[in-house]
Amino acid sequence: MSKTTVDLSLATRPSDADAVSGLIKDLDGLNQNWKEENEETRLKMVVKARSLLQSLLTPREQMVQHTWADPGLDAALITGVDVGLWKLMVKNGVDAVHKVDDLAKSLGMDPQLLGRLMRHVCAMGHLVEVAQDEYKLTNFTKSMSLDVIGDGYVCLLGGIGRSPFEFYKFLRETNWRNPVDAAHTAFHASYNSTVPNCMLYLGTIGMGPQMNHHMGGYRQGRLPWHHPKIYPVEKELFPGAEPDAPLVVDVAGGLGHDIDEFRRKYPNHPGKLILQDLAPVIEDAKDIDPSIERMPHDFLTEQPIKGARAYFMHSILHDWPDDVCQKILARLAEAMKPGYSKLLIFECVIPSTGAYWESTAGDMLMMTQLSACERTEDQWHSLIEGSGLGLKITKFWSSGLSAVENVIECELA
């Protein structure tokens, strides 16, 4: 007969002591063949190392980490970005020893406050302690000086961070149903906001640039959609492309990172490249090559470019529940030319088992902020082929790396 209660002593013992030895052996085995450029092995080592740490920590320690340490670390990191701490430390010497009193004076901060913040950042492994109130940067805190890294903390945690922590309240009020209403999300409930979604809300509170920086940071170190290891454009897209017609329409392409990188990778591409997004975003897309046409467009309205070789979307559909996605897809299907046009969707495809933590983290972010989701392969088939839009998936193109998006190639059925 199984027990109906858990003995309190369980919370003060290592979570899985029996697994420790095997995990160390697994890590050692992976390390034998690991080189820094071997990304798949690195990702496997991350998973094993995470499992090792969790096996060694007691449940009590994990509780304190989740409820005390991690929120405290976030508070210190966000403050550091906001006050300019990480940029100042890099400016004063990327590998120098930094004294709290000197930093506090330059920043106009109370040295006791700054010392407490930096002490916790150090205790969590992100600064190196040289002496009392003297620290050196790690590679992580060096990177916090970069807008594409640091600004993610300000906008996601400082700007809309209340939504995931109050998600349970939203679920309680919606009878614990899977959230699928883009007009009624945990964000709306947490911030009592009438702004259509959290991304637009960030713009209203002056954090639009920080969100754009975060999206740029999210893409760092990840293979672009047009990398030969993922989607061989010279084989699949260029043959048969009409030379003076639109080649790629980057729908809701933001500031143009993807389309401009594509142009640099394939400078002799046939056809035209077009970047589309809402007018305020297009106005800010100033750092892309002038050969790329910039076009204001709302993807819920009729697609003005007809018969392009490819319509491309990167991390767009995961922002929306199925009903909105179907409207977006319908506008594209109407514009596609049978037997010629392709729809290329560059997004996460969650496996049915063994999902990687970064994919599930994205799913939690979409769910708690937008009532949307990251999708499994079955869900992609259901969304694209089961909604009567006349589209079919021809192939999922993947590099094989668990932390990288797939290109979901679609055509008219």
Side-chain angles (χ1 to χ4, degrees):
M1 185 174 179
S2 62
K3 293 182 178 180
T4 57
T5 60
V6 173
D7 193 292
L8 181 59
S9 65
L10 187 71
T12 59
R13 300 198 301 265
S15 293
D16 193 354
D18 293 340
V20 171
S21 178
L23 288 167
I24 292 174
K25 289 179 180 178
D26 290 345
L27 269 169
D28 185 58
L30 289 166
N31 187 51
Q32 297 298 321
N33 300 314
W34 179 55
K35 295 181 180 179
E36 189 172 343
E37 64 273 12
N38 188 333
E39 183 68 358
E40 184 64 15
T41 299
R42 185 189 71 83
L43 295 175
K44 291 178 180 178
M45 292 175 72
V46 167
V47 171
K48 292 291 183 182
R50 184 187 296 270
S51 297
L52 176 60
L53 177 60
Q54 291 172 342
S55 297
L56 287 167
L57 287 170
T58 69
R60 186 205 70 84
E61 289 169 333
Q62 293 188 59
M63 177 271 291
V64 173
Q65 177 178 328
H66 296 155
T67 59
W68 295 24
D70 291 342
L73 176 62
D74 289 337
L77 293 174
I78 296 169
T79 300
V81 174
D82 189 57
V83 78
L85 171 63
W86 315 118
K87 290 185 176 182
L88 175 64
M89 293 177 75
V90 166
K91 179 182 177 182
N92 288 351
V94 70
D95 294 315
V97 176
H98 303 270
K99 296 182 179 181
V100 168
D101 283 346
D102 294 340
L103 294 169
K105 183 177 180 180
S106 296
L107 296 169
M109 289 185 73
D110 181 337
Q112 184 176 6
L113 166 65
L114 183 59
R116 294 172 69 188
L117 295 173
M118 295 183 72
R119 184 168 58 208
H120 183 55
V121 174
C122 178
M124 295 298 287
H126 301 306
L127 287 171
V128 177
E129 189 174 53
V130 178
Q132 181 178 353
D133 287 334
E134 295 183 14
Y135 299 99
K136 294 182 68 173
L137 293 163
T138 63
N139 283 347
F140 169 72
T141 39
K142 290 175 185 177
S143 298
M144 285 293 290
S145 69
L146 303 172
D147 291 339
V148 294
I149 301 298
D151 278 0
Y153 291 80
V154 175
C155 66
L156 288 186
L157 299 179
I160 53 176
R162 194 185 307 161
S163 305
F165 288 108
E166 298 189 355
F167 186 55
Y168 75 98
K169 297 179 183 178
F170 171 76
L171 292 178
R172 184 192 298 159
E173 294 169 0
T174 56
N175 296 315
W176 309 99
R177 297 184 181 277
N178 188 47
V180 294
D181 185 353
H184 183 214
T185 68
F187 154 73
H188 291 113
S190 296
Y191 287 87
N192 192 28
S193 176
T194 58
V195 178
N197 59 59
C198 64
M199 292 175 289
L200 292 175
Y201 171 78
L202 287 170
T204 68
I205 61 173
M207 289 192 180
Q210 285 86 347
M211 188 62 190
N212 286 331
H213 289 154
H214 170 64
M215 292 309 300
Y218 167 75
R219 293 184 174 99
Q220 298 302 309
R222 302 171 75 89
L223 294 178
W225 71 275
H226 51 74
H227 193 285
K229 287 185 177 180
I230 300 183
Y231 188 74
V233 296
E234 292 178 301
K235 178 182 177 182
E236 298 294 328
L237 212 59
F238 290 179
E242 298 173 3
D244 297 322
L247 176 71
V248 177
V249 180
D250 191 350
V251 181
L255 299 181
H257 299 293
D258 284 307
I259 197 76
D260 201 46
E261 188 175 10
F262 178 90
R263 180 202 60 80
R264 292 195 302 271
K265 177 70 174 178
Y266 302 101
N268 297 318
H269 64 82
K272 302 174 184 177
L273 303 180
I274 299 169
L275 171 67
Q276 294 180 338
D277 212 306
L278 297 175
V281 180
I282 288 296
E283 290 173 5
D284 287 338
K286 301 173 181 177
D287 297 328
I288 61 175
D289 191 89
S291 67
I292 299 171
E293 182 180 349
R294 297 182 298 167
M295 177 182 293
H297 173 60
D298 180 347
F299 53 42
L300 292 174
T301 64
E302 179 181 355
Q303 171 57 243
I305 303 299
K306 312 294 184 183
R309 182 63 166 147
Y311 298 90
F312 171 76
M313 289 189 292
H314 186 182
S315 297
I316 301 302
L317 298 182
H318 77 165
D319 289 341
W320 302 96
D322 283 3
D323 62 331
V324 180
C325 288
Q326 288 164 3
K327 295 176 183 177
I328 297 170
L329 292 169
R331 302 291 80 79
L332 293 170
E334 292 166 356
M336 292 171 67
K337 180 179 178 181
Y340 178 76
S341 297
K342 299 178 183 289
L343 170 60
L344 304 176
I345 301 167
F346 194 39
E347 294 217 17
C348 170
V349 179
I350 299 180
S352 55
T353 61
Y356 188 68
W357 69 268
E358 196 166 336
S359 299
T360 58
D363 188 43
M364 293 298 295
L365 179 65
M366 297 304 110
M367 178 167 58
T368 59
Q369 297 289 2
L370 296 160
S371 289
C373 66
E374 302 287 4
R375 294 175 171 87
T376 65
E377 187 170 318
D378 288 344
Q379 287 173 319
W380 280 115
H381 277 289
S382 177
L383 174 65
I384 292 170
E385 298 175 340
S387 52
L389 299 175
L391 291 167
K392 65 178 181 180
I393 296 175
T394 56
K395 187 171 181 177
F396 290 90
W397 296 84
S398 172
S399 70
L401 296 177
S402 55
V404 177
E405 300 105 323
N406 289 202
V407 170
I408 307 165
E409 183 182 57
C410 310
E411 297 177 356
L412 291 174

